[in-house]
Amino acid sequence: VKNSDIIFVCLPTPFNEEKLEIDLSIYDDVMEDICTNEFMNEGKVVVIKSTVVPGTTDLYSQQYEDVNIVFNPEFLTETNYLNDFINTDRIIIGGVNDWAIQSLIMLYRSVPHFKDTPIIKMSTTAAEIVKYQSNVLMATKVAIANVFYDLCEKLGVKYDDVKDAVGMDKRIGQEHIGVSSERGFGGKCFPKDLGAIIGRCRELDVDCKLLEEVFYYNDRIRKVKDWQEIAGATVGGR
């Protein structure tokens, strides 16, 4: 903290499958350590990188009023994270302090890879929603692909032929319409993010039955619930 102007906080937010919520206890402890550090001052910026439910960053900002806190989500795949980071389609920055936002923008622009990358500024809550909607849309795309895979199987049609033709539509593309032998979607992000946003919607009395069906459909068809075995992905996980 003493020698840093911008502090990136990238920590696990384990998913509680029973409660459909993320566990922020690790974040709470580290944010307290950083934000109450004797070397913390108004000239420093704290950047939350982990996926947190809408409203979380604002709560931290209210708790630590004298600290500049912004939200800057990642858009990475687990298998290609470095390339995804370097070649990101956009950089999202959520915050209320213009100086803090500009400080982060200047840092990104100082890196050649990000010289021309679109940078979008918005509120912290809007930025948090961007991350969730992005992942939920991709997860839903996988679920829909699996439904049509089963339909093709019943009718004796090769799904790959259908997939390739559908994916030629530029509005759809080939991403996330393949069907693996494990079926559905897994990994550390999609199940966790979909479940957590369902929990948040329920808290706010937002009708999320569509998202619930995707979540429970995937739970039914997924053969390997790998997220339960990934360290830090779930509460009680390995």
Side-chain angles (χ1 to χ4, degrees), residues 76-182:
L76 312 175
T77 58
E78 294 176 55
T79 56
N80 204 28
Y81 59 89
L82 182 57
N83 184 66
D84 291 339
F85 174 73
I86 293 173
N87 297 294
T88 184
D89 296 317
R90 77 286 200 204
I91 295 169
I92 305 293
I93 301 176
V96 295
N97 185 301
D98 287 337
W99 176 86
I101 293 173
Q102 288 303 318
S103 295
L104 187 55
I105 290 175
M106 288 176 61
L107 176 63
Y108 274 114
R109 291 301 189 215
S110 70
V111 179
H113 283 294
F114 303 128
K115 182 180 179 181
D116 299 314
T117 305
I119 296 180
I120 304 169
K121 300 180 291 182
M122 57 183 65
S123 71
T124 55
T125 301
E128 290 163 342
I129 292 174
V130 167
K131 178 57 187 286
Y132 272 99
Q133 184 171 348
S134 297
N135 278 4
V136 168
L137 281 170
M138 289 185 283
T140 302
K141 199 174 175 183
V142 174
I144 291 172
N146 275 265
V147 172
F148 279 94
Y149 174 87
D150 287 337
L151 177 62
C152 287
E153 288 288 295
K154 289 288 186 180
L155 296 174
V157 173
K158 291 183 179 179
Y159 176 70
D160 282 348
D161 292 343
V162 173
K163 173 183 71 67
D164 292 344
V166 169
M168 291 178 70
D169 188 325
K170 294 179 181 178
R171 298 169 300 173
I172 299 172
Q174 295 290 346
E175 295 292 326
H176 301 99
I177 60 173
V179 176
S180 71
S181 59
E182 296 174 338

Side-chain angles (χ1 to χ4, degrees), residues 45-57:
V45 180
V46 176
V47 183
I48 293 178
K49 297 292 291 182
S50 306
T51 304
V52 293
V53 293
T56 300
T57 306

